[in-house]
Every structure is written in C-alpha cells, then in structure tokens.
Amino acid sequence: DSTNPIAARALLEAKSWGRLRRLRLGETATGIEELKGLLAHPSMRGITELGLRENRLPHEATELIAEAPSLVALRKLNLRRNPGADSNIHPLAASRYVTGLVHLCVGAISDGLIEFVRSPNASHLRRLSFEGDDPILKQAIATSPSAHCLVLAGAYDEFFWN
C-alpha cells in the first residue's frame, strides 16, 4: 500500500536498528511525522545513507534533516521526487550537522541547490544528481570553492539508489 508508511513505523517501534547504516525508505509513504520520529530515534546516529525518494515530503522535511543532530554521520542523501523537500535544499547550506555529504540526489534544480553548492557544506560532495540542465547551476559548480571534490554532477543515477 503506497499510502501506509509501514516500514518507517516498524523502525520507530524497534529499540535498536543494530548495525544498520543505509536507510532506504524510497516509495514507502514515509511522511513528515514518521520522519520526525526517525530523526529522534537513537539509532539514527549511525545512519550514513538516507534515501527518501518519492515520498511526497513537504518543504519542512529538508529543514528537519538539516537541523537533526542525529545526522552528523550522514554522507548520502536522496530527496528526489519529493516536490516540497527536493526544491527546498537551502537549509542544508547552513546546517551545523549535515556537513559531510559526499552524494546528494534531488529532482529539482533550485536556487537552494545553487546556494548549497556554493556553501562550505558542499566541500566533501563528490556526486550531485539532479534532473534537468541549468547553466546557472553549472556556473555555480564551476566557480564554487566548496565544490572542489565534485567529480560527477548531472543525471540521476538509478543504479546507485535502487
């Protein structure tokens, strides 16, 4: 059922997630309330990869992610096809906790994405996946002192996030 966030709710009920490091909840109907609970869960501190693609998360989701102390270990984030969240990337630019991303996947090219690419929080970024083409984003990547590690920017990598 694409409207029942059973996977996220099962995780919320568990005391511990063991050695789980990659949390992929794409297309699982994970909503904002489940995301809040997951971010507060003690096991979230060990998560290095968070996949939330295609969950219809609102703008607030990116703000919650950026403000979550539990995500200090996060290295890969997929917000693709969350019409609110993937167009609201600017909170990641100023995050005190999500500072070591090596791969970011979004659907939309936005001013917030350009702001993120120019921010110090993009200094570890190696892969930036997005849909579309934008000369302003290309210019931001080319001139950003923070995006010096970036080796791949462009089309969404389906294989990587399956």
Side-chain angles (χ1 to χ4, degrees):
D1 182 356
S2 65
T3 60
N4 186 355
I6 192 166
R9 289 185 181 156
L11 286 166
L12 290 171
E13 291 176 11
K15 288 184 181 182
S16 172
W17 302 342
R19 294 181 167 186
L20 185 67
R21 298 293 171 253
R22 296 177 180 162
L23 183 54
R24 295 181 177 177
L25 293 169
E27 298 181 81
T28 59
T30 299
I32 197 70
E33 293 306 315
E34 290 82 18
L35 180 60
K36 287 177 183 177
L38 292 168
L39 294 173
H41 196 285
S43 293
M44 187 57 90
R45 282 204 170 282
I47 297 299
T48 59
E49 182 178 315
L50 181 58
L52 294 167
R53 69 180 169 77
E54 299 184 49
N55 280 304
R56 295 184 286 281
L57 290 168
H59 278 81
E60 180 187 2
T62 311
E63 295 161 12
L64 291 171
I65 290 167
E67 296 168 3
S70 60
L71 293 179
V72 295
L74 191 65
R75 299 297 172 255
K76 297 177 183 178
L77 177 61
N78 186 346
L79 293 171
R80 181 175 181 253
R81 293 197 178 153
N82 283 287
D86 79 355
S87 64
N88 184 37
I89 299 303
H90 72 87
L92 295 176
S95 177
R96 294 182 298 151
Y97 306 108
V98 182
T99 60
L101 287 179
V102 295
H103 190 168
L104 175 62
C105 183
V106 297
I109 296 172
S110 64
D111 291 342
L113 180 58
I114 292 168
E115 181 182 347
F116 174 75
V117 167
R118 291 178 173 154
S119 78
N121 284 350
S123 64
H124 301 285
L125 200 63
R126 293 195 173 282
R127 296 175 69 134
L128 176 61
S129 302
F130 53 86
E131 295 175 6
D133 189 19
D134 186 326
I136 297 171
L137 177 60
K138 287 181 180 178
Q139 180 67 21
I141 292 169
T143 60
S144 173
S146 299
H148 63 276
C149 291
L150 193 60
V151 293
L152 179 62
Y156 174 75
D157 186 348
E158 191 73 37
F159 175 76
F160 180 79
W161 287 102
N162 260 347

